[in-house]
Amino acid sequence: MDGNGGNHAAGRLIGYARVSTKRQTTEQQIEALEKAGCDPIYSEKMSGKRDDRPELAKALAEVGPGDTLVVWKIDRLGRDALQLLTTIKDLKDRGVVLRSLTDGLDSSTEIGEMVMGMLALIAKYEVGLKTERAEAKRALLRKRGGNLGGRPKRFDAEAAAAIRRAHSNGESIAGLARLHGACRQTIYRVLESA
């Protein structure tokens, strides 16, 4: 057992650092990971929303049972709770401990387990909210007679000419979109194709 109540196996400490933009630097994170004893350390400059983070993939491939993946802050692993939870669950299933230096999170401790349980609830809530929002948007589009996805509405030459005339007579893009059951981008495309 370690000082936090966890039971770390004598494995390796592997670090992962990430910043979201080219203007930011990973220096502070790497310095903290080195101080924690991590070797190797993988780092990249890439948005957390992206699923194709090659250095994270390398770090995840590097860790094995008994190892610890160390991050400067838990949000370095992903932007939303579902993405974080998926990564954390994968690590736990593989016998890998996750430690976050600034958050004080350590998945081998009871408190770490509790935090992960809370993350699971947040992730479930987020998924529910996204589904609810998507359904509300679809219902609104159905009510307005809008496009529910797929290809944007196409207009024949006569309808496109009528849209252009109405716009030149002062009709707004939003008004034309409502009138023709199309999105604004489609109306802009019709106007640009003149």
Side-chain angles (χ1 to χ4, degrees), residues 25-167:
T25 175
T26 56
E27 281 181 38
Q28 180 183 17
Q29 293 179 42
I30 290 173
E31 188 177 309
L33 292 169
E34 285 173 344
K35 192 174 179 183
C38 296
D39 183 34
I41 295 171
Y42 297 89
S43 69
E44 58 196 339
K45 295 184 178 187
M46 190 169 283
S47 170
K49 290 181 180 178
R50 292 183 55 169
D51 290 327
D52 62 333
R53 289 169 281 158
E55 294 303 307
L56 176 60
K58 288 178 189 173
L60 293 174
E62 179 80 24
V63 292
D67 290 340
T68 301
L69 179 65
V70 185
V71 292
W72 183 66
K73 198 168 181 178
I74 195 72
D75 69 356
R76 300 300 82 200
L77 291 177
R79 277 283 172 89
D80 62 36
L82 186 59
Q83 195 177 48
L84 284 173
L85 184 68
T86 302
T87 303
I88 291 168
K89 184 180 181 324
D90 174 61
L91 291 170
K92 182 180 178 184
D93 291 348
R94 292 169 47 202
V96 176
V97 171
L98 173 64
R99 185 183 304 154
S100 171
L101 299 176
T102 58
D103 298 318
L105 175 70
D106 184 328
S107 68
S108 69
T109 67
E110 287 180 16
I111 290 174
E113 284 285 327
M114 181 185 75
V115 169
M116 280 182 245
M118 288 170 31
L119 273 175
L121 290 173
I122 292 168
K124 186 176 178 182
Y125 180 69
E126 267 186 10
V127 169
L129 277 181
K130 284 179 184 176
T131 304
E132 191 177 302
R133 285 186 196 128
E135 183 50 44
K137 185 176 180 180
R138 283 192 294 272
L140 184 62
L141 282 171
R142 279 193 294 271
K143 183 179 174 186
R144 292 182 177 172
N147 188 353
L148 291 177
R151 294 187 172 202
K153 189 168 183 172
R154 298 221 183 256
F155 295 100
D156 61 24
E158 190 177 319
I163 289 171
R164 287 190 207 90
R165 275 194 309 277
H167 186 257

